[in-house]
C-alpha cells in the first residue's frame, strides 16, 4: 500500500494521513490510492504540514508498517530511546522496526 | 573567554528578532516551505527524522558555566531533557518545535551564543584544541587567533555562498588534538628558528565520500597576516571550486585536481594583492582579544602530589587527566561514553552539573571535544578527588578516555535523515562487549569511530577502527575499516572487505583486536601494529570460516 507522511509544521512531529486529517500514529495511516499527489498538494496549501511524501507500506496483523527502515524509525522514534517512542511503557515497542 | 562587544550583541539580537518574524510569517502561511527552508537553515534549524533539530555553535568548543547551564536549561525547557555533543564541538537538540525556536535563540543570545553559520555553504564554526590555554605541550594559545577568525568569518558577505561548506581548525601545540589535517583548512601556530610565531596552513583536507589529508600550502604566515592569507585561500576556492557538482564542490577536490603547487601559486598571487590593500587587523586589536584569554588566577607553588589510594580514582586519573602547564593543576576530560550509553548524549541535569563543577573547580571554563566529551581545563589537583566523587555520583566518571569504548558515533539512522544505517546501537554493543575496563586498558589507545553514511560525520576514515553504515537492499550493513588516524600521524583507514550485520560487525571488531593482541610488539598501539603487519592478518582472522562442529 501507499501511505502519506509529513511533519507537523509547528511542532515537527512525524504525522500520517488518515483519510480525514493527520495522526501521530502510523497505525492510523490509510491507503492513499491514486490520489496521493492531489492530497499532498491540497494539504501543503494549508501550510500546516511540511516535507510531505508518499511511502510504501504494508498492512500487517499488527497494523500499518512502512516498508523502509528509515520510515519505520520515523514512525516509532529513535530505537535507542524507546522511552521517547509513542508507546513508552512497552519494551517491545521497537521490535517491528528492525 | 571571548566577550561580545555591543556590535556582536546587537547583531545577534537583531538576528533573533528577524528570525522570530520569519517563523511567525511561516506559521501564518504567509511564506512557503521553499521560501522558509533556507532562512531556518541559516539559523541552524534542520528538519530531521523525528522533529526539527537545532545545532548550536560553541565557538572553538569553549564555554563558560553560565552558557553550559543555559544549554542544560534549553534541553529541559524546549527539548526532551538531553542534548547531543558532536564531533564539531557543538551541541544539537533533536526535538525542537518550530514555534519555540525564536525563544531558544533569544535564550542563547542572552548568554552570547547563537546558531548562525551552523549550516549552509559558509564558513562554519571554527574548531580547536580542547586543551587550549591549559596543555603543558602548548606553544601558543590558539584561542585569540580562533577568536579573530570567528570575528572575521561571522557574516563575511564574500564567503556566505561558497561552493560548499567550509570548516577550519586552529591549534597551537605540537600534538594535534583537533584532526587539523582533515579540515578544509587547518592552521597550526608554530615557531621559527628566530623564535617568532607564525601560522602553518594545511589546505584541502576532509572526510565525506572523498577523504583527503590536507597538504601544507603556507609554511609560515605572520599571525597578523593570517586573515589575509585565509582570504586568499578562500578567494581562489570561491572562484574555481566546482559549483556544478555537489560531490566535487569541497576545496579538497580543487586542491587535488589542480595540485597543491598550482593552488599555492594562485593563493600567493592573491595574497600579494591583498597585502597591498592594508586590510590586516591592527596589532592593538589582537592584543585586545588576547586580553580575553589571560591565564586565570592560578595559585603558585602548588604540589603535584596526589593521593591515589582509591584504586578507581587512580584509574580515572591515569586515563582521563592530562598534564597542565601550571604546577598543581590538571586537565580533566569527562567521558560522555558510559558502557552501553549513547556517545555524546548528556542529560539536562548532567549538563548543569558539569556547569556547576566548572564554576567551582575550573575557573568557570569548559570545552567540548571533537571526540564528544567535555573538558574541565584547569582543575587544582588538591580538588581532584572531591571532583571525581561528584562526577562518579552522576554517572560521569567513566575512565575510558581514548580506549575502545570512547567511541565517536554520529546520530545515524536513529536521528539523521541522510543515514543508511544506525550508528548508536553499534557503539552501544561494542562498548558493552568491551565493558571490562581491564580488558580495555590491555588494548590501550584504540580510537573507534562510526558513521551512519558516507558523509563521515563520525570520522570513520580516521578511526584506528572505523565503521561505516551502508544500505544493502534496504537492510543495514556495516563496513569495517582499519588503520586510520588523526593528529600528527594522520592516515586514512582502508576497508577490510565485505560488510557485516549489526552483530557481525561487533564480532569482527573483536577479532581485529585479537589479532592485535597476538601480534603486537612492545609499546605498539593497535594502529602501530596494523601499520607494521598490514591488512592481511586482520583480513584472514576476520573473514575466516567458522569451523563446522561435528
Ligand atoms: C543529523 C544531521 C546531520 C546532517 C544532515 C549532516 C550532514 C552532513 C553532510 C551532508 C556531510 C558531508 C559534507 C560534504 O562532504 O560535502 C557532513 C559531514 C560532516 N559532518 Fe555532518 N551531518 C549531521 C550531523 C552531524 C553531527 C551530529 C556531527 C558530529 C557528531 C557532524 C559532523 C560532521 C563532520 C565532522 C563531517 C565530516 C567532515 C568534513 O568532511 O567536513 N555532522 N555532514
Ligand atoms: S554520517 Fe551520515 S548518518 Fe551520520 S550524521 Fe552524518 S549524514 Fe547523518
Amino acid at each position: 500500500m501507499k501511505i502519506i507522511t509529513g511533519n507537523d509544521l509547528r511542532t515537527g512531529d512525524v504525522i500520517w494521513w488518515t483519510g480525514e486529517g493527520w495522526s501521530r500514529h502510523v497505525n492510523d495511516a490509510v491507503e492513499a490510492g491514486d490520489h496521493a499527489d492531489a492530497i499532498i498538494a491540497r494539504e501543503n496549501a494549508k501550510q500546516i504540514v511540511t516535507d510531505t511524501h508518499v511511502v510504501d507500506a504494508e498492512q500487517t496483523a499488527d497494523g500499518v508498517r512502512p516498508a523502509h527502515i528509515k520510515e519505520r524509525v520515523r514512525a516509532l522514534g529513535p530505537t535507542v530511546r524507546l522511552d521517547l517512542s509513542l508507546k513508552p511503557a512497552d519494551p517491545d515497542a521497537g521490535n517491528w522496526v528492525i | 573567554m571571548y566577550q561580545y562587544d555591543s556590535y556582536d550583541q546587537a547583531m545577534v539580537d537583531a538576528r533573533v528578532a528577524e528570525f522570530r518574524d520569519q517563523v511567525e510569517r511561516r506559521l501564518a502561511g504567509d511564506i512557503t516551505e521553499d521560501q522558509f527552508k533556507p532562512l531556518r537553515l541559516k539559523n541552524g534549524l534542520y528538519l530531521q527524522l523525528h522533529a526539527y533539530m537545532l545545532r548550536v555553535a560553541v565557538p572553538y568548543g569553549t564555554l563558560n558555566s553560565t552558557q553550559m547551564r543555559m544549554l542544560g536549561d534549553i534541553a529541559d525547557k524546549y527539548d526532551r531533557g538531553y542534548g547531543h555533543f558532536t564531533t564539531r564541538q557543538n551541541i544539537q537538540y533533536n526535538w525542537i518545535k518550530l514555534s519555540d525556536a525564536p525563544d531558544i535563540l533569544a535564550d542563547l543570545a542572552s548568554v552570547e551564543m547563537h546558531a548562525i553559520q551552523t549550516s549552509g555553504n559558509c564558513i562554519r564554526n571554527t574548531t580547536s584544541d580542547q586543551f587550549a590555554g591549559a596543555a603543558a605541550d602548548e606553544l601558543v594559545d590558539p584561542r585569540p587567533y580562533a577568536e579573530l577568525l570567528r570575528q572575521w568569518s561571522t557574516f563575511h558577505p564574500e564567503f556566505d555562498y561558497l561552493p560548499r561548506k567550509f570548516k577550519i581548525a586552529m591549534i597551537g601545540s605540537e600534538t594535534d588534538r583537533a584532526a587539523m589535517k582533515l579540515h578544509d583548512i587547518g592552521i597550526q601556530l608554530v615557531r621559527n628558528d628566530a623564535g617568532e610565531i607564525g601560522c602553518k596552513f594545511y589546505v584541502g583536507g576532509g572526510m565525506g565520500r572523498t577523504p583527503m589529508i590536507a597538504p601544507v600550502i603556507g609554511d609560515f604566515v605572520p599571525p597578523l597576516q593570517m586573515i589575509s592569507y585565509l582570504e586568499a585561500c578562500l578567494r581562489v576556492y570561491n572562484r574555481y571550486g566546482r559549483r556544478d557538482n555537489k560531490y566535487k564542490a569541497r576545496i579538497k577536490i580543487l586542491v587535488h585536481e589542480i595540485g597543491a603547487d598550482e593552488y599555492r601559486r594562485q593563493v600567493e598571487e592573491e595574497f600579494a594583492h591583498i597585502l597591498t590593500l592594508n586590510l590586516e587587523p591592527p596589532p592593538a586589536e589582537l592584543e585586545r582579544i588576547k586580553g580575553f584569554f589571560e591565564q586565570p588566577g592560578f595559585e603558585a607553588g602548588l604540589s603535584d602530589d596526589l593521593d591515589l589510594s582509591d584504586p578507581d580514582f587512580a584509574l580515572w586519573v591515569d586515563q582521563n587527566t592530562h598534564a597542565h602547564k601550571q604546577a598543581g593543576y590538571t586537565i580533566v576530560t569527562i567521558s560522555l561514553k558510559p558502557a552501553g550509553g549513547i556517545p555524546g548524549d548528556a542529560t539536562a541535569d548532567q549538563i548543569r552539573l558539569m556547569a556547576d563543577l566548572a564554576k567551582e573547580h575550573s575557573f568557570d571554563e569548559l570545552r567540548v571535544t571533537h571526540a564528544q566529551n567535555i573538558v574541565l581545563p584547569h582543575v587544582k589537583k588538591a580538588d581532584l578527588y572531591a571532583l571525581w566523587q561528584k562526577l562518579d555520583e552522576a554517572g560521569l566518571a567513566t575512565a575510558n578516555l581514548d580506549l575502545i569504548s570512547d567511541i565517536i558515533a554520529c546520530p545515524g539512522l536513529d536521528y539523521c535523515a541522510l543515514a543508511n544505517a544506525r550508528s548508536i546501537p553499534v557503539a552501544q554493543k561494542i562498548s558493552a562487549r568491551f565493558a571490562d575496563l581491564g580488558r580495555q586498558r590491555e588494548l590501550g589507545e584504540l580510537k573507534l569511530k562510526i558513521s551512519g553514511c558516507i558523509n563521515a560525520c563520525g570520522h570513520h576514515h580516521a578511526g584506528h577502527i572505523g565503521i561505516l553504515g551502508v544500505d544493502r537492499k534496504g537492510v543495514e550493513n556495516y563496513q569495517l575499516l582499519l588503520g586510520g588516524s588523526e593528529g600528527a600521524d594522520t592516515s586514512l583507514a582502508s576497508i577490510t572487505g565485505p560488510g557485516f550485520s549489526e552483530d557481525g560487525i561487533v564480532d569482527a571488531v573483536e577479532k581485529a583486536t585479537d589479532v592485535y593482541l597476538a601480534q603486537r610488539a612492545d609499546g605498539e598501539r593497535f594502529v602501530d601494529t596494523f601499520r607494521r603487519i598490514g591488512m592481511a592478518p586482520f583480513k584472514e582472522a576476520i573473514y575466516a570460516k567458522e569451523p563446522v562442529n561435528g
Side-chain angles (χ1 to χ4, degrees):
Chain A
M1 68 192 284
K2 302 266 184 213
I3 59 177
I4 304 173
T5 183
N7 293 78
D8 182 302
L9 175 67
R10 177 177 291 272
T11 64
D13 286 342
V14 173
I15 48 179
W16 309 88
W17 176 247
T18 67
E20 287 161 8
W22 296 91
S23 165
R24 290 164 66 220
H25 296 267
V26 70
N27 279 351
D28 298 335
V30 295
E31 166 70 50
D34 301 331
H35 311 299
D37 289 347
I39 296 169
I40 286 179
R42 191 188 65 217
E43 292 300 312
N44 281 354
K46 293 185 191 163
Q47 311 282 8
I48 51 164
V49 48
T50 185
D51 203 27
T52 37
H53 56 283
V54 178
V55 304
D56 285 324
E58 211 183 324
Q59 182 73 56
T60 73
D62 297 323
V64 179
R65 297 293 176 249
H68 197 275
I69 182 172
K70 185 177 288 184
E71 295 298 335
R72 293 199 296 276
V73 173
R74 282 183 74 239
L76 178 82
T79 65
V80 292
R81 287 298 302 265
L82 293 179
D83 57 320
L84 301 179
S85 70
L86 285 180
K87 286 195 289 173
D90 179 0
D92 296 327
N95 283 358
W96 50 271
V97 171
I98 302 136
Chain B
M1 188 68 201
Y2 66 88
Q3 283 166 28
Y4 277 14
D5 60 18
S6 56
Y7 295 104
D8 292 317
Q9 194 66 50
M11 281 195 293
V12 171
D13 290 343
R15 186 62 175 262
V16 174
E18 182 184 67
F19 189 54
R20 191 180 293 283
D21 176 60
Q22 290 162 345
V23 169
E24 275 165 16
R25 285 190 285 146
R26 175 70 187 118
L27 289 173
D30 296 340
I31 48 177
T32 65
E33 188 63 18
D34 286 347
Q35 291 164 332
F36 180 65
K37 188 176 172 186
L39 303 176
R40 71 165 157 74
L41 287 174
K42 283 276 186 200
N43 291 285
L45 196 65
Y46 292 68
L47 185 62
Q48 285 298 323
L49 277 193
H50 310 294
Y52 294 97
M53 178 274 277
L54 181 69
R55 183 181 287 163
V56 177
V58 179
Y60 31 97
T62 298
L63 292 157
N64 63 27
S65 66
T66 309
Q67 294 173 323
M68 186 75 163
R69 191 167 303 110
M70 179 61 86
L71 295 181
D73 289 345
I74 287 172
D76 252 349
K77 193 166 164 196
Y78 305 105
D79 203 89
R80 299 197 175 176
Y82 68 106
H84 180 70
F85 289 98
T86 79
T87 41
R88 297 272 314 135
Q89 299 180 310
N90 288 336
I91 184 168
Q92 293 185 180
Y93 296 103
N94 298 301
W95 303 93
I96 297 300
K97 293 183 172 59
L98 178 58
S99 47
D100 285 339
D103 290 339
I104 303 174
L105 295 182
D107 284 357
L108 288 169
S110 74
V111 295
E112 306 189 346
M113 294 184 82
H114 60 66
I116 295 161
Q117 288 176 216
T118 60
S119 172
N121 295 335
C122 54
I123 302 177
R124 303 289 187 90
N125 186 34
T126 299
T127 52
S128 186
D129 184 346
Q130 68 269 24
F131 296 165
D137 68 352
E138 185 166 274
L139 183 67
V140 197
D141 185 347
R143 292 172 302 165
Y145 303 90
E147 172 61 14
L148 195 62
L149 216 159
R150 181 179 80 87
Q151 298 194 6
W152 163 78
S153 62
T154 304
F155 296 131
H156 194 314
E158 184 178 343
F159 305 130
D160 194 42
Y161 187 67
L162 293 165
R164 198 80 181 88
K165 56 169 82 166
F166 207 90
K167 300 175 179 175
I168 304 176
M170 169 107 223
I171 69 168
S173 51
E174 195 54 42
T175 317
D176 171 14
R177 287 171 283 258
M180 172 186 68
K181 293 177 194 165
L182 296 168
H183 284 71
D184 295 290
I185 295 186
I187 304 174
Q188 183 177 22
L189 293 162
V190 293
R191 203 186 286 279
N192 66 9
D193 294 340
E196 298 154 334
I197 300 294
C199 305
K200 191 166 180 179
F201 273 72
Y202 294 83
V203 184
M207 288 178 260
R209 70 180 59 222
T210 325
M212 289 194 187
I213 299 172
V216 176
I217 296 297
D219 273 318
F220 194 83
V221 178
L224 281 171
Q225 295 176 0
M226 175 183 85
I227 296 296
S228 297
Y229 199 83
L230 271 168
E231 195 97 33
C233 290
L234 272 126
R235 275 197 181 162
V236 173
Y237 168 55
N238 212 7
R239 201 176 292 146
Y240 298 116
R242 298 269 304 260
R243 289 177 187 271
D244 60 319
N245 181 342
K246 185 176 161 182
Y247 301 123
K248 300 197 172 197
R250 296 286 290 263
I251 192 174
K252 62 191 171 188
I253 304 290
L254 176 71
V255 174
H256 182 74
E257 280 183 356
I258 67 176
D261 290 339
E262 173 58 16
Y263 175 75
R264 185 181 304 110
R265 190 192 65 73
Q266 296 193 22
V267 168
E268 293 292 341
E269 199 175 291
E270 187 66 40
F271 182 51
H273 167 67
I274 294 172
L275 287 182
T276 64
L277 304 176
N278 287 325
L279 296 174
E280 282 68 50
E285 178 59 11
L286 186 59
E287 288 312 310
R288 187 184 73 90
I289 292 176
K290 278 185 184 162
F292 299 152
F293 300 94
E294 295 277 305
Q295 278 211 155
F298 295 126
E299 287 172 48
L302 295 183
S303 153
D304 272 320
D305 289 345
L306 266 180
D307 175 359
L308 295 173
S309 50
D310 181 330
D312 289 335
F313 174 60
L315 278 179
W316 178 81
V317 169
D318 185 47
Q319 206 65 49
N320 287 40
T321 65
H322 281 83
H324 199 282
K325 58 168 77 159
Q326 178 76 22
Y329 288 82
T330 187
I331 306 173
V332 166
T333 303
I334 303 172
S335 166
L336 298 182
K337 322 286 177 66
I342 299 179
D345 274 13
T347 65
D349 286 339
Q350 288 177 327
I351 295 173
R352 280 185 295 245
L353 175 75
M354 291 187 278
D356 290 344
L357 294 175
K359 186 156 186 79
E360 200 176 337
H361 295 297
S362 184
F363 294 91
D364 211 36
E365 275 192 50
L366 304 107
R367 310 284 169 74
V368 184
T369 82
H370 85 270
Q372 303 178 283
N373 294 315
I374 301 292
V375 165
L376 301 180
H378 311 295
V379 178
K380 206 197 286 185
K381 285 191 176 167
D383 296 346
L384 200 55
Y385 190 66
L387 171 71
W388 173 76
Q389 285 177 311
K390 289 178 208 163
L391 288 171
D392 197 28
E393 244 168 63
L396 289 170
T398 313
N400 63 347
L401 193 71
D402 294 337
L403 300 179
I404 190 168
S405 67
D406 183 13
I407 297 169
I408 293 182
C410 79
L413 191 53
D414 281 302
Y415 292 98
C416 176
L418 302 177
N420 285 326
R422 290 169 305 145
S423 313
I424 298 168
V426 175
Q428 290 176 311
K429 283 188 177 170
I430 292 172
S431 85
R433 172 85 55 104
F434 290 89
D436 179 62
L437 193 58
R439 183 174 181 200
Q440 291 191 46
R441 285 172 64 90
E442 173 66 21
L443 287 170
E445 182 186 306
L446 211 173
K447 301 202 177 178
L448 199 146
K449 305 177 199 256
I450 310 175
S451 305
C453 81
I454 193 76
N455 287 325
C457 302
H459 288 196
H460 64 275
H461 300 294
H464 296 171
I465 298 181
I467 295 175
L468 168 64
V470 295
D471 179 334
R472 215 175 59 182
K473 300 195 183 106
V475 178
E476 295 167 296
N477 193 260
Y478 297 91
Q479 293 183 342
L480 183 67
L481 296 90
L482 300 175
S485 180
E486 54 196 23
D489 65 341
T490 298
S491 59
L492 299 171
S494 338
I495 296 184
T496 55
F500 303 89
S501 67
E502 185 176 313
D503 289 322
I505 190 75
V506 182
D507 293 338
V509 166
E510 192 167 32
K511 286 177 191 161
T513 61
D514 288 343
V515 173
Y516 160 65
L517 288 177
Q519 303 253 8
R520 71 173 159 192
D522 255 6
E524 271 184 348
R525 302 169 302 161
F526 178 92
V527 69
D528 302 323
T529 303
F530 176 85
R531 285 173 182 157
R532 179 172 54 80
I533 68 178
M535 181 66 98
F538 289 93
K539 236 173 148 158
E540 205 171 295
I542 291 164
Y543 294 103
K545 291 267 179 297
E546 295 293 336
V548 183
N549 290 321

